[in-house]
Amino acid sequence: MRQEGGGTLRVQSLGFLRQPRVRRILTLAGWRIAAGWPRRGDAVGIWGAKPVSRRGAWVASRSGAPLVTIEDGFLRSMAPGVTGAPPLSLIIDDMGFYGDARQPSRLERTLQETALTAAEVSRARDGITYLRRERLSKYTPPVPRRQVASGHVLVVDQTAGDASVSGSGASPQTFRRMLEAARVENPGARILIKAHPDVIAGRKDGHLVLEDASSPDDFVAADVNPWDLIEGASAVYTVSSQMGYEAVLAGVPARCFGTAFYSGWGLTEDEQRCPRRTRYLTREELFHGCHLAYPLYYDPWHDQLCDFETTANAISHEVSAQTAPCSIEGDVFVGVRRWKRRALTGFRPQLSRQPAFVDDIADAKHRAKTEKRAVWLWASRTDRSDHDALSAADVPVGFVEDGFLRSVGLGADLTVAGSLVFDSEGIYFDPTAPSDLEGLITQAAEGRVDEARASALIASIVAAGVTKYNVGAEADVSAPSGRRVVLVPGQVENDASIERGCGAVRTNLGLLEAARAANPDAWLVFKPHPDVEAKLRPGRVPEAHLTSLADQVLPDASAATVLAQCDSIWTLTSLMGFEGLLRGKAVTCLGMPFYAGWGLTTDLGPACVRRTARPTLDQLVWATLIAYPSYRDPISGLPCPPELIVERLATGIPTPKATMLSRLQGAFAGHTWLWRR
């Protein structure tokens, strides 16, 4: 089983002291890291079986201190460690190095002795499914899926000097023998040779080279997801590479020319035998030992140890952020305010080519054409005509805008968004044209989505009282007993969703009049928009009209508080209508917001003939909150799922930078040209 500490770990290599993430995981595991000669009760830590580790092994043998071997886990990170990417898992082994079959290791003992319960078998089966579905490996390159014709034979190279090669009883000559065996045993088959990621990165040498392949296309010297090569292979030949283990998980025959950590258990064809391994394992037992029981996992969102599932989820979101169609790498952005720009780039980490920000469509078009860039328009500050003009010029173009779970604080207060939407076709608040969101909702209505996850997300949002901005104070709706409460949320009247999605009624006054006419006996609660109340945007209702139409006005109330106390909502296009749907409220729309037209609301405004699908609420939420936006954790700065954003918003703590910007804005409130650009 995994080894956690409880004492001092003496290290003899500066590498431990130079890697903050490694130190942090070891500290969380209970170890205190220190250099020097071990004292009584101390252990000596070494990294794998690298040459530099010999000094630590010598110190342990001379001092009598126990030796602890540290190594990366089998699910490490998106990028290889040689690029500087910190690990998200570590192996801490007090018996040996799992890659050296000449001696026992904690992993080997776990696999040899552990019997699984039915629940553990089920968890392992789910873990294998998740690993394959999300295409996760030790390193998971953020690359598009590669289509490889089935029936090929995959030969896996490894780095020269890799300790797991010598530890498996193999040598450099073994790789040549393996390649020859693959050709002899599979006459006529296409042989693919896969280079190691460290070789691809130019940091190390391999054993096999381009000349060993039958053609240049048969030597895979570019980043490719390992699963794209494994699945569809008729066989995988390896010395001790982890790809042989993944072939076993995929049900692909694997032949091992060295004694790998996963060989000798009856799941591989082995050139060598390890007499200590006498047990025959199932795939689930092998996966449970290697991925669930053996490593320590780190949660980068909460800075704590965690389980396999949490780390797998974190890596999956990081890879998804890099491989999304809207990669933003090197793209041109139009209309993005200066204070938003740095935060926007954080939604796509590890950019090798920074995006460009301009304020002029002509400039964007010129740069896109001459530098072969795509263009993203900030949706509420540009127009559909800008999009169409760029599209007509054969420039790839899309819209970007704040998401629906945004922040603790208003955009007008310069609070950085925790979610953005990148829409390559249109934008969610413009019903006059199709959008990616409409397509996702239509797809969701066909039932091919995770509705259970969407239902759980709804429950967490409601329980936490989370809305888009999460501002305002607790407030009581003072309706007399028995009176039905109708909430009328005010909006900014020059909001793009009103300009593009409303018909004859497009003002707060008109909305109030319509709501009162249809609900003469109801208790009408009007909640003005915060930006309007702050006199930053248009939309004030004259006091005389407000007094005659509304029974109660709650200008500073939190949206969650008021939503919880109302029976129904009348709105133009406000997001509070969607937030009301999440809370089971009846919603009437006088405009056509993104959530209207699908059969879940009463629609009194312009129709949208494209919206013929009839999703359930769970399906609508899956498309709107899970599939459509991109999320960025305001604490760690990493890509994250919506569930984490809900957790962050529930704490009610804005980021320090956002707080500072908000204070600066307040100091210069009379000079909006400084902070609105």
Side-chain angles (χ1 to χ4, degrees):
M1 300 301 244
R2 65 171 64 95
Q3 291 299 296
E4 298 189 30
T8 299
L9 191 68
R10 296 285 176 176
V11 297
Q12 311 301 313
S13 168
L14 291 177
F16 282 98
L17 304 178
R18 291 171 178 163
Q19 298 185 64
R21 176 66 59 76
V22 171
R23 294 202 314 273
R24 182 58 180 156
I25 295 175
L26 290 172
T27 299
L28 290 170
W31 292 103
R32 187 178 72 86
I33 312 303
W37 194 264
R39 300 174 183 175
R40 184 173 184 177
D42 293 351
V44 174
I46 61 173
W47 189 269
K50 293 182 179 296
V52 71
S53 298
R54 295 172 188 164
R55 181 166 60 250
W58 178 84
V59 169
S61 65
R62 290 296 301 269
S63 66
L67 187 66
V68 177
T69 302
I70 318 295
E71 184 57 83
D72 289 327
F74 304 119
L75 182 67
R76 184 195 186 279
S77 55
M78 183 179 73
V82 293
T83 67
L88 289 174
S89 67
L90 284 184
I91 287 166
I92 305 174
D93 198 315
D94 62 346
M95 294 184 63
F97 170 46
Y98 73 85
D100 188 346
R102 293 169 296 188
Q103 60 181 349
S105 69
R106 180 65 58 178
L107 174 61
E108 185 178 273
R109 176 175 289 185
T110 297
L111 294 173
Q112 181 71 25
E113 298 178 355
T114 304
L116 303 186
T117 65
E120 289 171 330
V121 171
S122 178
R123 183 187 174 204
R125 189 174 297 120
D126 290 343
I128 294 172
T129 299
Y130 188 89
L131 210 66
R132 295 181 63 185
R133 185 181 74 233
E134 299 299 317
R135 327 298 287 172
L136 300 179
S137 185
K138 182 173 185 176
Y139 313 118
T140 306
V143 293
R145 292 193 66 162
R146 173 169 172 168
Q147 298 299 323
V148 180
S150 61
H152 63 277
V153 173
L154 180 62
V155 176
V156 185
D157 195 14
Q158 293 173 246
T159 57
D162 186 347
S164 72
V165 173
S166 57
S168 72
S171 68
Q173 291 71 36
T174 306
F175 287 85
R176 301 285 178 184
R177 185 163 57 87
M178 174 178 65
L179 177 58
E180 182 61 26
R183 287 174 171 152
V184 170
E185 294 166 6
N186 301 275
R190 183 188 181 192
I191 308 294
L192 288 182
I193 301 174
K194 172 66 173 71
H196 190 277
D198 289 355
V199 176
I200 295 170
R203 305 300 180 95
K204 296 183 180 179
D205 295 325
H207 297 92
L208 302 175
V209 294
L210 177 62
E211 287 72 20
D212 293 309
S214 300
S215 75
D217 291 338
D218 295 335
F219 188 78
V220 185
D223 273 338
V224 59
N225 191 291
W227 295 101
D228 292 344
L229 301 177
I230 292 170
E231 294 176 345
S234 60
V236 173
Y237 283 65
T238 180
V239 171
S240 59
S241 168
Q242 184 173 318
M243 287 185 69
Y245 165 61
E246 290 159 348
V248 171
L249 300 183
V252 176
R255 180 143 181 223
C256 295
F257 283 71
T259 304
F261 66 88
Y262 51 87
S263 67
W265 305 106
L267 293 167
T268 54
E269 182 182 347
D270 303 324
E271 287 289 299
Q272 301 184 36
R273 181 174 175 271
C274 181
R276 295 187 306 273
R277 302 176 187 179
T278 60
R279 191 178 176 205
Y280 287 88
L281 301 178
T282 64
R283 287 190 302 161
E284 290 78 11
E285 288 171 326
L286 180 65
F287 177 83
H288 188 278
C290 295
H291 265 90
L292 301 183
Y294 191 42
L296 282 173
Y297 290 102
Y298 176 75
D299 177 354
W301 296 321
H302 299 93
D303 184 33
Q304 63 187 21
L305 297 182
C306 63
D307 54 19
F308 158 81
E309 290 82 0
T310 300
T311 294
N313 194 21
I315 295 176
S316 177
H317 276 86
E318 186 177 11
V319 173
S320 295
Q322 290 296 107
T323 56
C326 41
S327 69
I328 84 170
E329 187 160 308
D331 290 348
V332 180
F333 284 79
V334 182
V336 180
R337 301 188 194 280
R338 285 189 173 90
W339 64 271
K340 290 184 176 183
R341 294 175 183 179
R342 184 174 180 182
L344 185 148
T345 60
F347 280 81
R348 297 290 184 269
Q350 301 190 22
L351 295 175
S352 59
R353 187 185 184 200
Q354 289 297 313
F357 295 94
V358 302
D359 294 316
D360 182 73
I361 293 295
D363 187 14
K365 177 181 175 181
H366 174 73
R367 298 191 68 165
K369 297 289 281 186
T370 58
E371 301 172 23
K372 299 188 183 306
R373 298 172 180 246
V375 174
W376 294 96
L377 308 174
W378 193 268
S380 57
R381 301 192 73 203
T382 53
D383 192 76
R384 184 76 198 187
S385 62
D386 298 325
H387 176 282
D388 294 343
L390 290 167
S391 183
D394 294 325
V395 173
V397 59
F399 286 108
V400 61
E401 186 57 78
D402 288 337
F404 310 115
L405 296 171
R406 187 191 185 281
S407 55
V408 179
L410 304 173
D413 291 334
L414 307 189
T415 309
V416 174
S419 66
L420 292 176
V421 297
F422 296 84
D423 198 309
S424 61
E425 190 168 7
I427 191 63
Y428 67 86
F429 57 70
D430 184 0
T432 65
S435 68
D436 289 345
L437 179 56
E438 280 189 356
L440 288 168
I441 294 172
T442 301
Q443 172 191 338
E446 297 173 359
R448 295 176 294 175
V449 299
D450 190 347
E451 294 184 49
R453 182 184 175 194
S455 180
L457 181 60
I458 293 171
S460 65
I461 289 171
V462 174
V466 165
T467 58
K468 182 174 183 178
Y469 294 114
N470 305 284
V471 294
E474 297 285 327
D476 289 326
V477 174
S478 55
S481 178
R483 291 278 292 275
R484 190 167 55 89
V485 177
V486 175
L487 172 62
V488 181
Q491 291 181 246
V492 174
E493 290 180 356
N494 64 353
D495 188 83
S497 69
I498 293 177
E499 293 179 346
R500 303 177 198 182
C502 286
V505 180
R506 53 179 54 235
T507 65
N508 291 323
L509 176 57
L511 171 63
L512 272 168
E513 290 173 338
R516 174 52 75 197
N519 302 276
D521 299 323
W523 185 264
L524 220 63
V525 177
F526 181 64
K527 184 185 183 314
H529 192 281
D531 285 355
V532 175
E533 284 297 291
K535 299 182 180 180
L536 297 171
R537 307 284 292 278
R540 285 186 76 83
V541 177
E543 192 66 31
H545 292 285
L546 193 58
T547 303
S548 64
L549 293 170
D551 296 297
Q552 189 174 3
V553 180
L554 296 175
D556 299 317
S558 77
T561 296
V562 183
L563 285 167
Q565 299 177 74
C566 73
D567 298 299
S568 65
I569 300 165
W570 274 62
T571 182
L572 295 172
T573 60
S574 172
L575 185 63
M576 286 188 70
F578 175 67
E579 293 165 343
L581 288 177
L582 302 187
R583 292 157 173 81
K585 310 298 182 179
V587 178
T588 298
C589 299
L590 276 69
M592 183 53 60
F594 67 88
Y595 54 87
W598 306 104
L600 296 171
T601 56
T602 299
D603 301 324
L604 303 180
C608 183
V609 296
R610 294 185 307 275
R611 301 182 185 180
T612 58
R614 290 296 175 261
T616 64
L617 179 61
D618 289 341
Q619 291 166 343
L620 178 73
V621 166
W622 179 88
T624 304
L625 296 183
I626 296 175
Y628 188 47
S630 297
Y631 295 95
R632 177 177 178 267
D633 177 18
I635 304 299
S636 68
L638 297 172
C640 69
E643 289 85 354
L644 184 73
I645 288 294
V646 171
E647 177 188 328
R648 296 296 196 218
L649 295 179
T651 65
I653 304 174
T655 62
K657 185 174 182 181
T659 303
M660 180 185 70
L661 286 169
S662 182
R663 288 172 180 169
L664 285 173
Q665 179 198 335
F668 291 96
H671 305 277
T672 58
W673 59 274
L674 288 172
W675 53 269
R676 295 290 291 176
R677 293 188 65 187

